[in-house]
Amino acid sequence: MGLTSKKVLALVVLLAVLLFVGTVWCWPLLARRDWRAVAGRIALLTATQLTVFAAVGLGANQAFGFYASWADLLGRESGQGVVVDHDPGDAAGPLQVVDTRHVNVSGGARPQVGGQIQKVELVGRRTHIASPAYVYLPPEYFQPQYRTRTFPAAVVLTGYPGTAEALIKGLHYPQTAHALAEEGRMQPMILVMMRPTVAPPRDTECVDVPGGPRTETFFAQDLPDAVSHHYRVGGEPGGWGIVGDSTGGYCALKLAIHHPGTYAAGAGLSPYYRPPSDPTTGDLFHGDEELRDNADLMWFLKHRPAPDTSLLVSSSRQGESNYRETLRFIDLVGARKPTRISSIILDSGGHNFNTWRREIPATLQWLSGRLSDH
C-alpha cells in the first residue's frame, strides 16, 4: 500500500468518516465528568482530527506529487544510490524500458490511437547518473505510415521535490499533447518526463556540483544522447526543447541558455532565475565564483554572449512571487539578440498545479512551433 495508492487514500477517508460518525454517536455516552469520559472524548476528537488531516495530506500529495513513497516522505531515501558505473560495452545501453502503460484518452488502449507511456531507466554515459523517467510516444510513432519519421522531443521537468508521476496524473502532459496534436494545434512530439532531482533527496538545481553530481551535464548531454539512441528523435539542431515548473522551470531556462546547441527552446512555468542556497541544496558551488555567476540567469545574460535560443516564462500579476522579477527578465532578454523571449502572464494564479494546467496547452503549442523533426 504505497503512499500514492488510491486504496490508502480511500481507507483513510473511510476511517475519518467512521470516526466522525462514532464521535457523534458516542458523545452522549461520554458526557459525564469523570476521568474516563473526559479521556474518551479527548481520544475520539484526537483520532478524528488526525485521520482528517491524514486524508487531506494524502489527497494533496496525490494532487501535487510532493512525495513518491513512504521512504521519500520520512526522509529515508539515500542520495548515494543514483551513481552507477557501467562498462563502455554494456549491452543494456543507456536506456532501458521497464514498464508500459496506455494514455488516459479515448481509445488509449491502442498505441496507434492513444500513444503510449513507457517507464524507463536512464544511465548517463559521461556522468554515470541513473534516473527513472516516463517517455510519452504519440500515436503517430506507432502508425505504419510514419515508421521512418523522426519526431521532436521535449524534456518535461517537475519542481522540487515533485514526482515524475505528477506530470502524468496531476499536470496531464500526455493527455494535453495528445489533444493538441489531434486538433492540429501542435506537431506530434516525444515527451521525456522526469524530476530534476537526480540525486534524491538533494536539490542540485541542475548544477554540475564540484565533487558531486554533474546534473547539468546529465541533462545537457547524457539524457538527449540516451533518448536519441533508443527512440526516433530528430538528430539535427532544433529537435529538442525543455519545459518545467518552479525548480524545473529554472532548470529549463538555464539549460536552454547554457546549451542552445542542444535545446532550441526552453519554457519556465513560474520559474526563478537564480538557484537558492538552503539545507536542501547544500553547497552547490564550493567557492567557484564563475560557476555561481553562470547559474544566475540574469548575470549570465548580461555578461555572456547571447544564446541563439527561444525562451518562454510565465507568471501571474496576483498570486506569484516572481512577477516583478519575471518582467525584469523579459526586458533583459528582449535587448539581447538573438535570444528570443515570450511570456504567459495571468491576471491571477498561485504557485500550484491548477495554474500550470492553465498554461501547459499554450506552452506545448509554443514549444512545438519552435522545434523541427529532422
Side-chain angles (χ1 to χ4, degrees), residues 49 242 291:
Q49 291 184 8
I242 185 167
L291 187 63

Side-chain angles (χ1 to χ4, degrees), residues 210-229:
R214 292 191 294 151
T215 313
E216 183 168 352
T217 298
F218 173 79
F219 282 110
Q221 299 182 45
D222 285 344
L223 172 60
D225 285 353
V227 173
S228 299
H229 177 83

Side-chain angles (χ1 to χ4, degrees), residues 12 14 79 90 94 98 113 127 129 147 176 181 210 214 219 243 253 260 266 308 321 323 336 341:
V12 173
L14 177 61
D90 189 350
V98 297
V113 176
T127 63
I129 288 175
R147 64 182 179 276
T176 304
R214 292 191 294 151
F219 282 110
V243 58
L253 295 176
D308 185 7
S321 61
Y323 175 60
R336 299 288 291 160
I341 185 71

Side-chain angles (χ1 to χ4, degrees), residues 301-365:
L301 288 167
K302 290 177 181 176
H303 296 89
R304 303 293 189 214
D308 185 7
T309 191
S310 296
L311 305 175
L312 170 71
V313 292
S314 81
S315 188
S316 303
R317 294 182 180 87
Q318 183 178 354
E320 282 281 17
S321 61
N322 75 335
Y323 175 60
R324 295 188 181 280
E325 193 172 24
T326 295
L327 296 183
R328 290 196 294 271
F329 184 79
I330 293 169
D331 288 342
L332 174 62
V333 178
R336 299 288 291 160
K337 303 301 181 186
T339 312
R340 298 161 294 281
I341 185 71
S342 303
S343 67
I344 299 173
I345 304 296
L346 302 177
D347 288 333
S348 65
H351 198 79
N352 55 52
F353 276 25
N354 183 58
T355 297
W356 299 327
R357 279 193 293 262
R358 295 160 59 197
E359 298 168 342
I360 287 169
T363 300
L364 286 177
Q365 191 173 356

Side-chain angles (χ1 to χ4, degrees), residues 15 33 48 129 173 221 272:
L15 184 59
R33 294 187 178 182
T48 302
I129 288 175
Y173 268 96
Q221 299 182 45
Y272 44 85

Side-chain angles (χ1 to χ4, degrees), residues 60-74:
N61 188 64
Q62 287 202 13
F64 296 104
F66 297 122
Y67 301 99
S69 64
W70 296 108
D72 195 9
L73 173 65
L74 298 174

Side-chain angles (χ1 to χ4, degrees), residues 17-373:
V17 171
L18 291 176
L19 281 170
F20 175 79
V21 172
T23 300
V24 174
W25 184 265
C26 296
W27 198 259
L29 303 177
L30 300 172
R32 301 184 306 276
R33 294 187 178 182
D34 60 87
W35 69 270
R36 290 186 180 86
V38 172
R41 294 198 296 270
I42 293 173
L44 279 174
L45 289 172
T46 301
T48 302
Q49 291 184 8
L50 285 175
T51 53
V52 169
F53 289 148
V56 172
L58 287 168
N61 188 64
Q62 287 202 13
F64 296 104
F66 297 122
Y67 301 99
S69 64
W70 296 108
D72 195 9
L73 173 65
L74 298 174
R76 293 177 181 171
E77 265 196 349
S78 171
Q80 304 303 312
V82 298
V83 178
V84 179
D85 291 322
H86 290 260
D87 293 331
D90 189 350
L95 185 151
Q96 296 183 62
V97 178
V98 297
D99 192 19
T100 61
R101 64 175 71 173
H102 68 265
V103 182
N104 187 22
V105 297
S106 178
R110 297 176 56 211
Q112 297 90 339
V113 176
Q116 189 178 80
I117 297 170
Q118 298 185 349
K119 184 176 183 180
V120 304
E121 292 289 341
L122 294 162
V123 178
R125 292 292 197 191
R126 299 167 184 81
T127 63
H128 304 299
I129 288 175
S131 181
Y134 290 93
V135 177
Y136 164 71
L137 301 172
E140 290 80 0
Y141 194 87
F142 302 95
Q143 296 170 2
Q145 63 268 36
Y146 296 106
R147 64 182 179 276
T148 61
R149 175 179 172 176
T150 59
F151 294 82
V155 177
V156 184
L157 299 176
T158 70
Y160 176 86
T163 66
E165 285 251 353
L167 296 169
I168 301 169
K169 296 181 177 179
L171 291 177
H172 308 149
Y173 268 96
Q175 300 93 311
T176 304
H178 181 277
L180 290 172
E182 197 171 50
E183 295 166 4
R185 296 167 57 193
M186 66 172 276
Q187 60 179 317
M189 289 199 306
I190 294 172
L191 303 180
V192 184
M193 299 169 286
M194 58 192 303
R195 59 181 184 171
T197 313
V198 295
R202 188 177 186 184
D203 176 13
T204 56
E205 295 289 325
C206 297
V207 169
D208 276 356
V209 181
R214 292 191 294 151
T215 313
E216 183 168 352
T217 298
F218 173 79
F219 282 110
Q221 299 182 45
D222 285 344
L223 172 60
D225 285 353
V227 173
S228 299
H229 177 83
H230 192 89
Y231 297 104
R232 300 198 310 272
V233 177
E236 298 298 321
W240 279 86
I242 185 167
V243 58
D245 59 75
S246 193
T247 299
Y250 163 75
C251 286
L253 295 176
K254 181 170 80 169
L255 286 160
I257 290 170
H258 286 189
H259 305 277
T262 300
Y263 293 109
L269 307 182
S270 307
Y272 44 85
Y273 303 97
R274 64 184 62 81
S277 178
D278 56 36
T280 67
T281 65
D283 186 354
L284 294 174
F285 307 110
H286 294 272
D288 188 327
E289 292 298 326
E290 182 179 9
L291 187 63
R292 186 190 308 274
D293 288 340
N294 287 339
D296 183 330
L297 304 186
M298 299 278 200
W299 187 96
F300 188 94
L301 288 167
K302 290 177 181 176
H303 296 89
R304 303 293 189 214
D308 185 7
T309 191
S310 296
L311 305 175
L312 170 71
V313 292
S314 81
S315 188
S316 303
R317 294 182 180 87
Q318 183 178 354
E320 282 281 17
S321 61
N322 75 335
Y323 175 60
R324 295 188 181 280
E325 193 172 24
T326 295
L327 296 183
R328 290 196 294 271
F329 184 79
I330 293 169
D331 288 342
L332 174 62
V333 178
R336 299 288 291 160
K337 303 301 181 186
T339 312
R340 298 161 294 281
I341 185 71
S342 303
S343 67
I344 299 173
I345 304 296
L346 302 177
D347 288 333
S348 65
H351 198 79
N352 55 52
F353 276 25
N354 183 58
T355 297
W356 299 327
R357 279 193 293 262
R358 295 160 59 197
E359 298 168 342
I360 287 169
T363 300
L364 286 177
Q365 191 173 356
W366 174 88
L367 199 60
S368 167
R370 283 149 183 82
L371 302 183
S372 59
D373 58 356

